[in-house]
């Protein structure tokens, strides 16, 4: 699930996308959100925010610790004889992670297992024998003690129904007893739904389950899947406060995987939609809708994995933190962009009036901010909320608004797309496009009687050949 070769390769090469397309699933999320209506147990103060952090990539010092409650360091691997391999308890990076996290009040667990190239035989063989289970438990407890950890996350992918499930139950029972006696946590990562490999007897042995509501079908992580996953596990008897909903910080196509940070680097509008070409992922609006669902219907939210995030205002972890701040005691405001409409077209140089609706059920709206992609255009602090966007250049824009209430909770609206066409400036002195020229962000060229500007590094890519491409049309010469 998590350590597939495709995901491991994300750290080692650039991803080149082929086309861009808008997706409406984020805007559909509020309707799906109403599928679960029991919100009486939503408590932001008890919400868990669990971030997996891999052994093979990511900067310990770049983690947004203030937005997490738990970090699962992934992975150490089990052996059939009950040993542990692949990572030592004295690993300097792990030590640094634990020290820094504990200084910020964040718990750190060691995640055991993972995808293991689809071979769960070490788990199967170890758990089937009482002696090797005991050896494994002793090694895990020693690892936790020596590294100063707060607990263990078992990521066995996957126990099968029958004997395998019984052995999983025995392992969790015995490991839970050993860890809880020392004041440590035991958690487990589980498939989204429809599995008999996890016995309900294990529910009392774990502190919570991390429900992997992703890598399931195509698109791989819809809002509906999140609803179905919580319904499934809670319906089986898992207490709500032990149901932690998993979300992806990556996208999947039918041929590969892409980090959220890579998608944002390739398409500045990626945070405001859920699809780039044939790659499906969760943008800000969907992540926030899932977070509110997780707070109100479960015990929190889990992320695979936090090194795939951005480090600015487009951060999905920031979006999660904002949504949690608006849950429980303080409800997040609502926000929608009412004008212009999706698909509207304007002439270059126009002044476009943006209008928005925003409301707050338990407070007041402090401000409404207007964005084109990641660029803030301005804000309004009183209703009716509007902004005059002057002298707009030619191009295609994803527009959103973000409403913030008087307690600091905020909500970002679904994006709408508009196009601005027409003259974008003089072509005088601008050289014609050349296939041998290297262009960087901001460079201009003329091609087929039109003026173009490069959005990023490019060579031998014809202006206008692909909608997603590196060239922005400024207008006719």
């Amino acid at each position: 699930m998590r350590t597939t070769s495709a995901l491991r390769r994300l750290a080692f090469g650039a991803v080149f996308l082929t086309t861009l397309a808008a997706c409406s699933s984020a805007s559909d999320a509020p309707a799906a959100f109403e599928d679960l209506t029991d919100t009486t147990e939503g408590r932001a103060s008890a919400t868990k925010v669990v971030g997996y952090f891999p052994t093979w990539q990511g900067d310990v010092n770049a983690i947004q610790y203030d937005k997490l409650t738990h970090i699962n360091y992934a992975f150490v691997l089990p052996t059939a004889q009950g040993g542990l391999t692949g990572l030592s308890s004295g690993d300097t990076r792990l030590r640094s992670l634990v020290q820094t996290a504990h200084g910020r009040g964040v718990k750190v667990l060691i995640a055991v297992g993972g995808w293991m190239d689809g071979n769960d035989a070490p788990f199967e063989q170890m758990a089937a024998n009482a002696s090797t289970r005991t050896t494994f438990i002793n090694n895990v407890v020693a690892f936790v003690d020596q590294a100063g950890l707060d607990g263990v996350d078992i990521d066995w992918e996957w126990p099968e129904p029958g004997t395998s499930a019984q052995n999983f139950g025995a392992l969790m029972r015995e490991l839970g007893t050993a860890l809880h006696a020392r004041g440590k946590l035991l958690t487990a990562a589980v498939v989204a739904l429809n599995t008999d490999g996890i016995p309900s007897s294990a529910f009392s042995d774990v502190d919570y389950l991390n429900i992997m509501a992703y890598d399931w079908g195509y698109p791989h992580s819809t809002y509906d899947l999140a609803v179905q996953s919580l319904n499934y596990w809670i319906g089986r008897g898992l207490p709500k406060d032990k149901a932690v909903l998993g979300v992806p910080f990556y996208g999947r196509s039918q041929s590969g995987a892409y980090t959220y940070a890579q998608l944002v680097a390739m398409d500045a509008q990626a945070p405001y939609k859920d699809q780039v070409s044939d790659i499906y992922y969760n943008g800000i609006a969907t992540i926030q809708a899932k977070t509110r669902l997780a707070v109100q219907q479960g015990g929190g939210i889990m992320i695979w994995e936090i090194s795939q995030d951005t480090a600015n205002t487009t951060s999905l972890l920031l979006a999660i933190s904002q949504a949690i701040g608006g849950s429980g005691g303080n409800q997040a405001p609502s926000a929608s962009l009412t004008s212009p409409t999706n698909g509207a077209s304007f002439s270059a140089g126009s002044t476009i009036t943006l209008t928005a609706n925003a409301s707050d059920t338990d407070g007041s709206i402090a401000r409404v901010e207007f964005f084109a992609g990641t660029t803030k255009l301005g804000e309004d602090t009183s209703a009716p909320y509007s902004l005059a966007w002057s002298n707009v250049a030619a191009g295609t824009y994803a527009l959103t608004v973000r409403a913030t209430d008087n307690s600091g909770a905020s909500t970002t609206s679904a994006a709408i797309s508009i196009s601005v066409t027409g003259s974008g400036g003089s072509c005088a002195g601008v050289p014609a496009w050349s296939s041998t020229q290297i262009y960087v962000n901001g460079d201009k060229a003329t091609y087929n009687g039109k003026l173009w500007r490069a959005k990023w590094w490019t060579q031998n890519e014809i202006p206008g050949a692909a909608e997603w491409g590196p060239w922005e049309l400024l207008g006719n010469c």
Side-chain angles (χ1 to χ4, degrees):
M1 168 217 69
R2 296 196 176 94
T3 55
T4 62
S5 58
L7 286 177
R8 283 186 181 276
R9 288 195 297 270
L10 292 173
F12 305 111
V15 174
F16 296 93
L17 306 182
T18 54
T19 54
L20 289 182
C23 177
S24 63
S25 59
S27 61
D28 293 338
F33 180 65
E34 295 173 1
D35 291 350
L36 292 176
T37 56
D38 178 11
T39 61
T40 59
E41 294 186 17
R43 295 181 296 274
S45 62
T47 298
K48 291 173 277 289
V49 183
V50 182
Y52 281 85
F53 186 67
T55 57
W56 60 89
Q57 67 186 16
D59 182 357
V60 168
N61 297 314
I63 295 173
Q64 300 181 68
Y65 292 94
D66 61 322
K67 298 175 178 62
L68 297 162
T69 61
H70 301 75
I71 296 173
N72 290 350
Y73 195 53
F75 295 95
V76 65
L77 305 177
T79 71
Q81 295 74 38
L84 297 174
T85 185
L87 182 72
S88 96
S89 59
D91 178 79
T92 56
R93 188 167 181 262
L94 174 58
R95 293 280 185 175
S96 176
L97 174 65
V98 171
Q99 181 179 11
T100 307
H102 284 176
R104 308 288 185 87
V106 179
K107 296 182 183 298
V108 182
L109 291 78
I110 186 67
V112 183
W115 178 238
M116 303 198 303
D117 294 324
N119 178 20
D120 70 342
F123 269 123
E124 292 282 4
Q125 296 172 36
M126 174 272 293
N129 182 280
S131 176
T132 51
R133 282 201 308 269
T134 298
T135 299
F136 174 77
I137 290 166
N138 289 339
N139 283 325
V140 167
V141 168
F143 190 105
V144 168
D145 287 343
Q146 292 164 12
L149 295 163
D150 300 288
V152 177
D153 178 68
I154 296 296
D155 195 355
W156 176 350
E157 303 182 13
W158 307 106
E160 298 294 332
T163 301
S164 176
Q166 294 171 8
N167 293 338
F168 176 88
L171 175 64
M172 299 305 287
R173 181 175 63 253
E174 296 164 13
L175 182 57
T177 298
L179 289 172
H180 293 150
R182 292 165 173 78
K184 305 296 185 180
L185 298 171
L186 175 62
T187 68
V190 296
V191 71
L193 43 81
N194 299 337
T195 176
D196 293 323
I198 307 296
S200 57
S201 62
F203 296 171
S204 61
D205 299 315
V206 299
D207 291 276
Y208 53 87
L209 294 180
N210 294 306
I211 302 168
M212 295 182 289
Y214 42 77
D215 288 346
W216 189 276
Y218 184 76
H220 80 110
S221 186
T222 64
Y223 184 87
D224 284 345
L225 177 63
V227 172
Q228 293 165 15
S229 297
L230 285 176
N231 279 342
Y232 171 76
W233 285 102
I234 293 170
R236 281 190 54 187
L238 181 68
K240 287 185 178 181
D241 62 353
K242 292 187 177 185
V244 178
L245 176 67
V247 297
F249 277 15
Y250 64 95
R252 276 202 177 278
S253 69
Q254 293 184 324
S255 59
Y258 307 78
T259 71
Y260 172 71
Q262 286 172 324
L263 294 172
V264 173
M266 289 294 181
D267 178 8
Q269 298 176 12
Y272 312 105
K273 50 189 181 182
D274 287 341
Q275 182 184 357
V276 170
S277 183
D278 66 338
I279 304 162
Y280 289 90
Y281 60 99
N282 290 170
I284 288 174
T286 298
I287 283 287
Q288 289 191 323
K290 286 186 177 183
T291 301
R292 290 190 289 270
L293 173 70
V295 170
Q296 295 171 348
Q297 300 299 328
I301 197 157
M302 173 271 285
I303 302 120
W304 180 267
E305 48 87 356
I306 56 176
S307 79
Q308 298 171 332
D309 198 11
T310 59
N312 51 34
T313 56
T314 64
S315 164
L316 295 180
L317 191 53
L318 172 61
I320 287 172
S321 180
Q322 292 172 337
I324 290 175
S327 301
N330 175 40
Q331 297 299 313
S334 64
S336 63
L337 189 62
T338 56
S339 181
T341 58
N342 190 50
S345 179
F346 300 88
S347 299
S350 297
T351 294
I352 302 173
T353 300
L354 311 181
T355 61
N357 283 337
S359 61
D360 190 44
T361 59
D362 59 353
S364 59
I365 299 296
R367 64 184 179 277
V368 173
E369 300 164 282
F370 296 82
F371 293 86
T374 59
T375 302
K376 181 176 175 179
L377 304 175
E379 64 179 57
D380 196 353
T381 57
S382 60
Y385 304 103
S386 65
L387 178 77
W389 183 18
S390 302
N391 197 28
V392 182
T396 300
Y397 300 92
L399 304 180
T400 57
V401 293
R402 182 170 66 204
T404 302
D405 69 15
N406 59 313
S407 295
S410 63
T411 297
T412 299
S413 72
I416 66 101
S417 177
I418 66 167
S419 60
V420 180
T421 59
S423 177
S426 172
C427 296
V430 180
W433 174 81
S434 170
S435 62
T436 62
Q437 176 71 37
I438 294 175
Y439 298 91
V440 298
N441 180 35
D443 286 349
K444 293 181 180 179
T446 59
Y447 184 78
N448 282 348
K450 298 180 184 296
L451 180 63
W452 302 85
R453 180 170 57 203
K455 295 184 286 185
W456 56 73
W457 185 99
T458 180
Q459 182 182 16
N460 200 30
E461 294 181 85
I462 299 173
E467 181 184 356
W468 65 271
W471 290 100
E472 174 187 7
L473 176 62
L474 298 180
N476 297 319
C477 291

